[in-house]
Coordinates of all heavy atoms in Angstrom, one line a residue:
A1 N -2.8 9.1 -2.7 CA -3.3 9.0 -1.4 C -4.3 10.1 -1.1 O -4.2 11.2 -1.6 CB -2.1 9.1 -0.3
R2 N -5.3 9.8 -0.4 CA -6.5 10.7 -0.2 C -6.2 11.7 0.9 O -6.8 11.6 2.0 CB -7.7 9.9 0.1 CG -8.2 9.0 -1.1 CD -9.4 8.2 -0.7 NE -9.9 7.5 -1.9 CZ -10.9 6.6 -1.8 NH1 -11.4 6.3 -0.7 NH2 -11.3 6.0 -2.9
F3 N -5.3 12.6 0.7 CA -5.1 13.7 1.6 C -4.6 14.9 0.8 O -4.0 14.8 -0.2 CB -4.1 13.3 2.7 CG -2.7 13.3 2.3 CD1 -1.9 14.5 2.5 CD2 -2.1 12.2 1.8 CE1 -0.6 14.5 2.1 CE2 -0.7 12.2 1.5 CZ 0.0 13.3 1.6
S4 N -4.8 16.1 1.4 CA -4.3 17.3 0.9 C -4.1 18.3 2.0 O -4.9 18.3 3.0 CB -5.3 17.9 -0.2 OG -4.8 19.1 -0.7
V5 N -3.1 19.1 2.0 CA -2.8 20.1 3.0 C -2.5 21.4 2.4 O -1.8 21.5 1.4 CB -1.6 19.6 3.9 CG1 -0.3 19.4 3.1 CG2 -1.4 20.4 5.1
S6 N -2.9 22.5 3.1 CA -2.7 23.8 2.6 C -1.5 24.4 3.3 O -1.0 23.9 4.2 CB -3.9 24.7 2.8 OG -4.0 25.0 4.2
R7 N -1.1 25.6 2.8 CA 0.1 26.3 3.4 C -0.3 27.0 4.6 O 0.5 27.5 5.4 CB 0.6 27.3 2.3 CG 1.2 26.6 1.1 CD 2.6 26.0 1.3 NE 3.0 25.2 0.2 CZ 4.3 25.1 -0.1 NH1 5.2 25.7 0.6 NH2 4.7 24.3 -1.1
D8 N -1.6 27.2 4.9 CA -2.0 27.9 6.1 C -2.7 27.1 7.2 O -3.5 27.5 7.9 CB -3.0 29.1 5.7 CG -4.2 28.6 5.0 OD1 -4.3 27.4 4.7 OD2 -5.1 29.4 4.6
G9 N -2.3 25.8 7.2 CA -2.7 24.9 8.3 C -4.0 24.2 8.2 O -4.5 23.7 9.2
V10 N -4.5 24.0 7.0 CA -5.8 23.2 6.8 C -5.4 21.9 6.2 O -4.7 21.8 5.1 CB -6.8 24.0 6.0 CG1 -8.1 23.1 5.8 CG2 -7.1 25.3 6.6
L11 N -5.9 20.8 6.8 CA -5.6 19.4 6.3 C -7.0 18.8 6.0 O -7.9 18.9 6.7 CB -4.9 18.6 7.4 CG -4.8 17.1 7.1 CD1 -3.9 16.8 6.0 CD2 -4.3 16.4 8.4
A12 N -7.0 18.1 4.8 CA -8.2 17.4 4.4 C -7.8 15.9 4.1 O -6.7 15.7 3.5 CB -8.9 18.0 3.2
Y13 N -8.6 14.9 4.6 CA -8.3 13.6 4.3 C -9.5 12.7 4.3 O -10.5 13.1 4.9 CB -7.2 13.0 5.2 CG -7.6 12.9 6.7 CD1 -8.4 11.8 7.1 CD2 -7.3 13.9 7.6 CE1 -8.8 11.7 8.4 CE2 -7.7 13.8 8.9 CZ -8.4 12.7 9.3 OH -8.8 12.6 10.6
R14 N -9.4 11.6 3.6 CA -10.5 10.6 3.6 C -10.0 9.2 3.9 O -8.9 8.8 3.4 CB -11.2 10.6 2.3 CG -12.4 11.5 2.1 CD -13.0 11.5 0.8 NE -13.4 10.1 0.4 CZ -13.8 9.8 -0.8 NH1 -13.7 10.7 -1.8 NH2 -14.2 8.5 -1.1
T15 N -10.7 8.5 4.8 CA -10.3 7.2 5.1 C -11.2 6.2 4.3 O -12.0 6.6 3.5 CB -10.6 6.9 6.6 OG1 -12.0 7.1 6.9 CG2 -9.7 7.8 7.5
G16 N -10.9 4.9 4.5 CA -11.7 3.9 3.8 C -10.9 3.2 2.6 O -9.8 3.5 2.4
E17 N -11.6 2.3 2.0 CA -11.0 1.5 0.9 C -10.8 2.4 -0.3 O -11.6 3.3 -0.6 CB -11.8 0.3 0.6 CG -11.9 -0.7 1.7 CD -10.5 -1.2 2.1 OE1 -9.7 -1.5 1.2 OE2 -10.3 -1.4 3.3
S18 N -9.8 2.0 -1.1 CA -9.7 2.6 -2.5 C -9.6 1.5 -3.5 O -9.4 0.3 -3.1 CB -8.4 3.5 -2.5 OG -7.2 2.6 -2.3
G19 N -9.8 1.7 -4.7 CA -9.7 0.7 -5.7 C -10.8 0.9 -6.7 O -11.2 2.1 -7.0
S20 N -11.2 -0.1 -7.4 CA -12.2 0.0 -8.5 C -13.1 -1.2 -8.5 O -12.9 -2.2 -7.8 CB -11.4 0.1 -9.8 OG -10.5 -0.9 -10.0
R21 N -14.1 -1.1 -9.4 CA -15.0 -2.2 -9.6 C -15.3 -2.4 -11.1 O -15.1 -1.4 -11.8 CB -16.3 -1.9 -8.8 CG -16.9 -0.6 -9.2 CD -18.2 -0.3 -8.4 NE -18.8 1.0 -8.8 CZ -20.0 1.3 -8.7 NH1 -20.9 0.4 -8.2 NH2 -20.5 2.5 -9.2
L22 N -15.7 -3.6 -11.4 CA -16.1 -3.8 -12.8 C -17.6 -3.7 -13.0 O -18.4 -4.4 -12.4 CB -15.7 -5.3 -13.2 CG -14.2 -5.6 -13.2 CD1 -13.9 -7.1 -13.1 CD2 -13.5 -4.9 -14.4
L23 N -17.9 -2.7 -13.8 CA -19.3 -2.3 -13.9 C -19.8 -2.4 -15.4 O -19.2 -1.9 -16.3 CB -19.5 -0.8 -13.5 CG -20.8 -0.1 -13.7 CD1 -21.9 -0.8 -12.7 CD2 -20.8 1.4 -13.4
W24 N -20.9 -3.2 -15.5 CA -21.5 -3.4 -16.8 C -22.5 -2.2 -17.1 O -23.3 -1.9 -16.3 CB -22.3 -4.7 -16.9 CG -21.4 -5.9 -17.1 CD1 -21.1 -6.8 -16.2 CD2 -20.7 -6.3 -18.3 NE1 -20.3 -7.8 -16.7 CE2 -20.1 -7.5 -18.0 CE3 -20.6 -5.8 -19.6 CZ2 -19.3 -8.2 -19.0 CZ3 -19.9 -6.5 -20.5 CH2 -19.3 -7.7 -20.2
M25 N -22.4 -1.7 -18.3 CA -23.4 -0.7 -18.8 C -23.8 -1.0 -20.2 O -23.1 -1.6 -21.0 CB -22.8 0.7 -18.7 CG -22.3 1.1 -17.3 SD -21.8 2.8 -17.2 CE -23.3 3.7 -17.2
N26 N -25.0 -0.5 -20.5 CA -25.5 -0.7 -21.9 C -25.3 0.6 -22.7 O -24.7 1.6 -22.2 CB -26.9 -1.1 -22.0 CG -27.9 -0.1 -21.4 OD1 -27.6 1.1 -21.2 ND2 -29.1 -0.5 -21.1
R27 N -25.7 0.6 -24.0 CA -25.4 1.8 -24.8 C -26.1 3.0 -24.4 O -25.7 4.1 -24.7 CB -25.8 1.4 -26.3 CG -24.9 0.4 -26.9 CD -25.4 0.1 -28.3 NE -25.2 1.2 -29.3 CZ -24.2 1.2 -30.2 NH1 -23.3 0.3 -30.2 NH2 -24.2 2.3 -31.0
A28 N -27.2 2.9 -23.6 CA -28.0 4.0 -23.1 C -27.4 4.5 -21.8 O -28.0 5.5 -21.3 CB -29.4 3.6 -22.9
G29 N -26.3 3.9 -21.3 CA -25.8 4.4 -20.1 C -26.4 3.8 -18.8 O -26.2 4.3 -17.7
Q30 N -27.2 2.8 -18.9 CA -27.9 2.2 -17.8 C -26.9 1.2 -17.2 O -26.3 0.4 -17.9 CB -29.2 1.5 -18.2 CG -30.2 2.4 -18.7 CD -31.4 1.7 -19.3 OE1 -31.2 0.7 -20.0 NE2 -32.6 2.2 -19.1
E31 N -26.8 1.2 -15.8 CA -26.0 0.3 -15.1 C -26.7 -1.1 -15.1 O -27.8 -1.2 -14.7 CB -25.7 0.7 -13.7 CG -24.8 2.0 -13.7 CD -24.4 2.4 -12.3 OE1 -24.7 1.6 -11.3 OE2 -23.8 3.5 -12.1
L32 N -26.0 -2.1 -15.5 CA -26.5 -3.5 -15.6 C -26.1 -4.4 -14.5 O -26.7 -5.4 -14.3 CB -26.2 -4.1 -17.0 CG -26.5 -3.3 -18.2 CD1 -26.0 -4.1 -19.4 CD2 -28.0 -3.1 -18.3
G33 N -25.1 -4.0 -13.7 CA -24.6 -4.8 -12.6 C -23.1 -4.8 -12.5 O -22.4 -4.5 -13.4
L34 N -22.7 -5.4 -11.4 CA -21.2 -5.5 -11.2 C -20.7 -6.9 -11.6 O -21.5 -7.8 -11.6 CB -20.9 -5.2 -9.7 CG -21.3 -3.8 -9.2 CD1 -21.0 -3.7 -7.7 CD2 -20.5 -2.7 -9.9
E35 N -19.4 -6.9 -11.9 CA -18.8 -8.2 -12.2 C -17.7 -8.5 -11.2 O -16.7 -7.8 -11.2 CB -18.3 -8.2 -13.6 CG -17.8 -9.5 -14.2 CD -18.9 -10.5 -14.4 OE1 -19.8 -10.2 -15.1 OE2 -18.8 -11.6 -13.7
G36 N -17.8 -9.5 -10.4 CA -16.8 -9.9 -9.5 C -16.7 -8.9 -8.3 O -17.6 -8.1 -8.0
D37 N -15.5 -9.0 -7.6 CA -15.3 -8.2 -6.4 C -14.5 -7.0 -6.8 O -13.8 -6.9 -7.8 CB -14.5 -9.1 -5.4 CG -15.2 -10.3 -4.9 OD1 -16.5 -10.2 -4.8 OD2 -14.6 -11.3 -4.7
A38 N -14.6 -6.0 -5.9 CA -13.8 -4.8 -6.1 C -12.3 -5.1 -5.8 O -11.9 -6.0 -5.1 CB -14.3 -3.7 -5.1
G39 N -11.5 -4.2 -6.3 CA -10.0 -4.3 -6.1 C -9.3 -3.3 -7.0 O -10.0 -2.5 -7.6
E40 N -8.0 -3.3 -6.9 CA -7.3 -2.4 -7.8 C -7.0 -3.1 -9.1 O -6.0 -3.7 -9.4 CB -5.9 -2.0 -7.1 CG -5.4 -0.7 -7.6 CD -4.4 -0.1 -6.8 OE1 -4.5 -0.1 -5.5 OE2 -3.4 0.5 -7.4
I41 N -8.0 -2.9 -10.0 CA -8.1 -3.6 -11.3 C -7.7 -2.7 -12.4 O -8.1 -1.6 -12.5 CB -9.5 -4.2 -11.4 CG1 -9.9 -5.1 -10.3 CG2 -9.7 -4.9 -12.8 CD1 -11.3 -5.5 -10.2
N42 N -7.0 -3.3 -13.4 CA -6.6 -2.5 -14.6 C -6.6 -3.5 -15.8 O -6.6 -4.7 -15.7 CB -5.3 -1.9 -14.5 CG -5.3 -0.7 -13.6 OD1 -5.9 0.3 -13.9 ND2 -4.6 -0.7 -12.5
N43 N -6.5 -2.9 -17.0 CA -6.3 -3.5 -18.3 C -7.2 -4.7 -18.6 O -6.8 -5.9 -18.8 CB -4.8 -4.1 -18.3 CG -3.8 -3.0 -18.0 OD1 -3.9 -1.9 -18.6 ND2 -2.9 -3.2 -17.1
P44 N -8.5 -4.5 -18.6 CA -9.4 -5.6 -18.9 C -9.3 -6.1 -20.3 O -9.1 -5.3 -21.2 CB -10.8 -5.0 -18.6 CG -10.6 -3.6 -18.9 CD -9.3 -3.2 -18.4
S45 N -9.5 -7.4 -20.5 CA -9.5 -8.0 -21.9 C -10.5 -9.1 -21.9 O -10.4 -10.1 -21.2 CB -8.1 -8.5 -22.2 OG -8.0 -9.1 -23.4
L46 N -11.5 -9.0 -22.8 CA -12.5 -10.0 -23.1 C -11.9 -11.0 -24.1 O -11.4 -10.7 -25.1 CB -13.8 -9.4 -23.6 CG -14.8 -8.9 -22.5 CD1 -15.9 -8.2 -23.2 CD2 -15.3 -10.0 -21.6
S47 N -12.2 -12.3 -23.9 CA -11.9 -13.3 -24.9 C -12.8 -13.1 -26.1 O -13.9 -12.5 -26.0 CB -12.1 -14.7 -24.3 OG -13.4 -14.9 -23.9

């Protein structure tokens, strides 16, 4: 969860969506585009 609190009364937090996106890249590290929608995605497997 996106929050952290110190022992001396300072609180930090962030709102908004969390999750991941499927991002295509080439061997040079250039972003080629996104695949599908964002979500809490794991364990990709290509046929």
Side-chain angles (χ1 to χ4, degrees):
R2 293 176 175 172
F3 77 90
S4 182
V5 62
S6 74
R7 297 282 171 149
D8 57 359
V10 179
L11 170 67
Y13 64 84
R14 270 179 54 194
T15 61
E17 295 299 319
S18 61
S20 53
R21 55 183 182 152
L22 294 166
L23 176 65
W24 283 106
M25 301 187 74
N26 63 16
R27 290 175 71 101
Q30 297 170 319
E31 295 187 4
L32 304 178
L34 298 175
E35 189 67 60
D37 298 325
E40 202 164 322
I41 299 168
N42 282 300
N43 307 310
S45 176
L46 276 172
S47 61

